[in-house]
Amino acid sequence: LEESITAITFVALGTSLPDTFASAQAATAEEYADAAIGNVTGSNAVNVFLGLGLPWMLSSIYWYLQGDSDEFMSGTKGYYLPAGDLSFSVIIFTSLAITALLTLLIRNFYAEGALGGTAWLRKPSAAFFVCMWLTYVGLASAKIKGWF
C-alpha cells in the first residue's frame, strides 16, 4: 500500500478509535452530548495543530540550524516539501463533512437530538456515517492509485 492510503486508513483508525470510544462513553454518561462533541473537536484540534504543526516547526528549526537558507522551491536549501495532490481529498472531505453536519441538523429536527434519538433513526444514521467514511477512503485511494 502507498503511504498515503496507509495514512488515511490504518493510521487514522489507530489515532481515532480511542477517541471514538471515549466519546461514546461521554455520550452515554451524560444527559447531553456536549462532552462527546467537545472530545471530538478537541481531539481533532490536537491532531491538526500539534500533529502537523510541531513536527513541521521542529524540522524547520533543524534545517535553519544546519545553515540552510530559505530559498523558495530550491529543493536543496531550507525545509521545502513539494505539495502533493491534496485538493481532491480536501474537496471530498469537505463535501462529506457538510453532508454529516446537515445529517446532524436533520436528525436534531426530526429525532429530537443530533446524537442518539429514536431507535428507528439511530442505526441507519450510524450506517450512513460509516458509509461516508468508506466513500472518502475509497475515492481518495482511487485517486492515489491513479484510477481517475
Side-chain angles (χ1 to χ4, degrees), residues 4-49:
S4 300
I5 296 173
T6 302
I8 64 172
T9 54
F10 301 116
V11 175
L13 276 175
T15 59
S16 299
L17 224 45
D19 295 328
T20 302
F21 293 125
S23 293
Q25 178 62 33
T28 57
E30 290 190 11
E31 182 180 358
Y32 302 105
D34 293 345
I37 300 297
N39 182 47
V40 170
T41 54
S43 171
N44 285 329
V46 167
N47 287 342
V48 170
F49 299 128

Side-chain angles (χ1 to χ4, degrees), residues 5-132:
I5 296 173
T6 302
I8 64 172
T9 54
F10 301 116
V11 175
L13 276 175
T15 59
S16 299
L17 224 45
D19 295 328
T20 302
F21 293 125
S23 293
Q25 178 62 33
T28 57
E30 290 190 11
E31 182 180 358
Y32 302 105
D34 293 345
I37 300 297
N39 182 47
V40 170
T41 54
S43 171
N44 285 329
V46 167
N47 287 342
V48 170
F49 299 128
L50 256 139
L52 289 176
L54 188 61
W56 194 272
M57 182 186 73
L58 292 176
S59 295
S60 297
I61 291 170
Y62 171 80
W63 284 108
Y64 176 76
L65 293 175
Q66 295 298 314
D68 285 339
S69 67
D70 191 16
E71 295 177 25
F72 181 71
M73 294 179 59
S74 66
T76 58
K77 299 270 188 190
Y79 187 59
Y80 168 75
L81 289 175
D85 189 20
L86 191 60
S87 59
F88 177 80
S89 185
V90 169
I91 290 169
I92 296 301
F93 178 81
T94 302
S95 301
L96 292 171
I98 291 169
T99 303
L101 289 173
L102 290 173
T103 302
L104 291 176
L105 285 173
I106 291 168
R107 283 183 48 80
N108 194 36
F109 181 71
Y110 287 110
E112 298 177 4
L115 302 174
T118 58
W120 68 271
L121 196 53
R122 186 173 37 229
K123 289 182 182 178
S125 295
F128 180 65
F129 282 115
V130 170
C131 286
M132 283 196 299

